[in-house]
Amino acid sequence: MLDSGTATQQSNPTPENFPGLKPRSLRPIGAYALYGLALWHDQFVALDTVRGYLLQMNPPNDNAIVLNPCNTDQFIDAVGFSIWEDTIWFTKDNSVYFCTFDQFEPQLFITLPYDVDGVGVWESTIYVTSQKLGYIVIYERNTKRKITQFPLPGVGVTNLTIRGEELWLCDRTEETVYCLDRATGELQFNLLTPFENPTAIAFLNASDTDHPTLYVSYAGEEAYIRDNPNADPNLELTYRDRTFIHPLHFRYYPDERYTLSNGYLIEMSYVEELLPLDEVELQDLEWRIALPTETHRQKIRSVEPVGLPFTEDIQDGQRVAVFKFASLKPQERCIFGWKAILEVRGIKYHFNFEDVEQSPVLTPEFRDRYLVDDDELAMDTPAIQQAAREAIGTETNLLRKMLKIRNYVYDRLSYGIKPHIDSPDVVLERGTGSCGEYVGVLLALARLNGIACRTVGRYKCPTFADRQNVPLEPDYNHVWIEFYIPGYGWLPMESNPDDIVERGPYPTRFFMGLPWYHAEIGKGITFESLRSQGVPVGDVVDVSIGDLALNHIRFMILEELPPL
């Protein structure tokens, strides 16, 4: 576990209002899409935008009471929601309204030229967010006078809450929660949510600076298999609403420049089933498979062999399992691999452009290793060299260069699965690429611009955090990159998942951040390799790992980790 002595008091354990209560998911029956969340008399009130319900919920259970049984129409399609004392504030289309719990008769507060998303209230000050406007606009309640405005930190639809001198925003597209200074709008830190589509945010026990618990609501759809007796075949794919409220645990480490959020204890197995396509015999075979690595967000509780024993080797600082075969017979069959118990959490690093202005230069060792073409990156081709120049223009700041390179690649590529990986020049010309091909282009352009970077992977746990203690199998492997800030270290950057909008603006949720479901294995080294009699198998016989074995990858989410 991380040393809690290095952290600040920005953490959120069990609320004192409910002694012995373990924070848990709230899933009120009859709710379809919770888009608002506020605290009223020590209980949550949530807004269901589909039905127009204001649902009062007691945190220890899922029981919900409709507070407005005869006044639901006013709240249908509302997307922002806040309560100050006994006044309800909500947003709908491009307007902000308020009413009381006694009458539920909306009164217009302000109308903007663009759609309004979130609303928050602190005494006589009203905070309003608008994605289309791109700002948090602040008004004086009594006069309706605009006081000032702050730029929104993300690219998606936001909702907000206020705690003391802090503004807290959740961004639906970024899957991120931001903590801002309420007076200046300056970003203090941000963190990733464990689920997609966060819609609203609120603190339980917000006035207690030592024991607040942050909750976030989520709303979307999930696919499921429906048994339809009137169809043939009777099983069919369909979708249903999915909405719930879940505690968002976090801990901010300012000295180390990152924030950790919700984590899970997972079991991961990587196993090879020896099943040669053709008869082949190999002598003195060494089969090497990388093992999970320790990072800020990933801790290894245990690793054990599956099927056959292995010895452990250290390659470039990374742990590798080594399976040895005196000889591999043509008809030989066996199963071998490893199983690991991992603690994984979401992480978000905090650097702004000014932080890297005075970064030291790369050492000769890093230049020789991480600025070269060591993986068929086509860095010597005119097309890639031209792309490297176009990507950054005249930019000199390391962080801006990396972000511009990412956006340049996203502008020119669309995601698509291919059976093999082409070189970056071919990928750019084609305009589509898999995650591995995105990585190749990013590596080539970054290295040509003097940014040390490396490939990281290798799998993502299926993102069903509420499906615990059942086997889960990913459909594909996955790779991303890390880039290096001299004087600090390696920072993660996803390959393609942030490329979700045609020509941008692109979210930065996974720029210097990773969600909980990534398994980090073998940083900067080959994930799996074969050696026969001390030399690569490819130098002995024309055969690949895929020709010899079938891999099996299994995850199991054992439990959600307690707050740090």
Side-chain angles (χ1 to χ4, degrees), residues 89-362:
W89 294 78
F90 65 97
T91 67
K92 193 171 182 179
D93 300 324
N94 63 340
S95 298
V96 179
Y97 302 89
F98 65 93
C99 64
T100 66
F101 281 96
D102 295 331
Q103 296 182 343
F104 293 110
E105 295 180 0
Q107 300 179 53
L108 177 66
F109 174 71
I110 199 78
T111 297
L112 295 180
Y114 300 102
D115 284 350
V116 178
D117 304 319
V119 60
V121 183
W122 185 261
E123 296 181 343
S124 63
T125 308
I126 312 299
Y127 298 81
V128 177
T129 65
S130 171
Q131 178 198 29
K132 291 187 177 180
L133 185 63
Y135 285 94
I136 307 167
V137 189
I138 304 167
Y139 295 93
E140 202 280 323
R141 175 177 178 173
N142 295 325
T143 64
K144 302 183 181 180
R145 177 180 62 89
K146 177 181 173 182
I147 301 172
T148 187
Q149 62 184 29
F150 304 138
L152 284 170
V155 301
V157 173
T158 59
N159 222 322
L160 75 157
T161 192
I162 301 161
R163 186 172 77 102
E165 299 304 312
E166 300 167 341
L167 277 177
W168 289 78
L169 287 79
C170 65
D171 187 303
R172 202 172 309 164
T173 303
E174 299 275 4
E175 299 175 10
T176 299
V177 167
Y178 301 90
C179 176
L180 309 182
D181 184 283
R182 187 165 65 88
T184 65
E186 180 181 356
L187 177 65
Q188 304 298 301
F189 60 91
N190 54 346
L191 56 144
L192 296 176
T193 61
F195 303 98
E196 62 183 5
N197 297 322
T199 55
I201 182 172
F203 278 95
L204 187 64
N205 219 20
S207 60
D208 189 334
T209 57
D210 294 327
H211 301 285
T213 302
L214 181 61
Y215 281 80
V216 175
S217 65
Y218 302 86
E221 289 185 325
E222 64 179 357
Y224 75 104
I225 303 298
R226 176 174 179 261
D227 184 357
N228 182 0
N230 295 321
D232 186 18
N234 61 303
L235 297 180
E236 57 188 21
L237 176 66
T238 187
Y239 292 84
R240 60 190 171 199
D241 294 309
R242 180 174 184 252
T243 191
F244 58 96
I245 302 167
H246 193 79
L248 178 55
H249 306 303
F250 67 92
R251 193 146 200 174
Y252 175 35
Y253 296 81
D255 293 340
E256 300 183 62
R257 294 182 173 272
Y258 66 84
T259 304
L260 294 178
S261 52
N262 293 53
Y264 295 86
L265 185 67
I266 65 172
E267 175 187 285
M268 178 188 176
S269 301
Y270 185 89
V271 175
E272 292 286 4
E273 178 188 359
L274 198 58
L275 199 68
L277 295 177
D278 300 306
E279 291 191 2
V280 61
E281 185 168 351
L282 296 170
Q283 302 298 319
D284 187 20
L285 179 65
E286 185 179 273
W287 198 304
R288 303 171 63 89
I289 307 174
L291 291 168
T293 187
E294 291 262 342
T295 70
H296 287 147
R297 58 166 292 276
Q298 179 172 284
K299 304 302 173 188
I300 304 171
R301 286 199 181 179
S302 64
V303 178
E304 62 184 72
V306 174
L308 300 177
F310 64 77
T311 59
E312 192 171 314
D313 188 22
I314 301 297
Q315 179 182 339
D316 297 332
Q318 305 294 305
R319 297 172 63 185
V320 179
V322 182
F323 299 87
K324 295 184 178 181
F325 301 83
S327 65
L328 189 65
K329 305 297 184 183
Q331 303 301 323
E332 187 170 353
R333 300 290 184 268
C334 67
I335 289 176
F336 60 96
W338 50 257
K339 179 172 68 176
I341 305 297
L342 306 174
E343 296 179 12
V344 288
R345 298 181 186 269
I347 193 168
K348 189 69 179 179
Y349 288 90
H350 309 295
F351 283 88
N352 57 43
F353 300 129
E354 292 73 22
D355 292 332
V356 302
E357 287 288 357
Q358 305 300 321
S359 296
V361 298
L362 285 174

Side-chain angles (χ1 to χ4, degrees), residues 17-39:
N17 283 354
F18 301 93
L21 169 65
K22 180 180 179 181
R24 56 185 288 275
S25 289
L26 302 176
R27 300 175 183 271
I29 296 175
Y32 294 84
L34 301 177
Y35 272 55
L37 189 63
L39 198 65

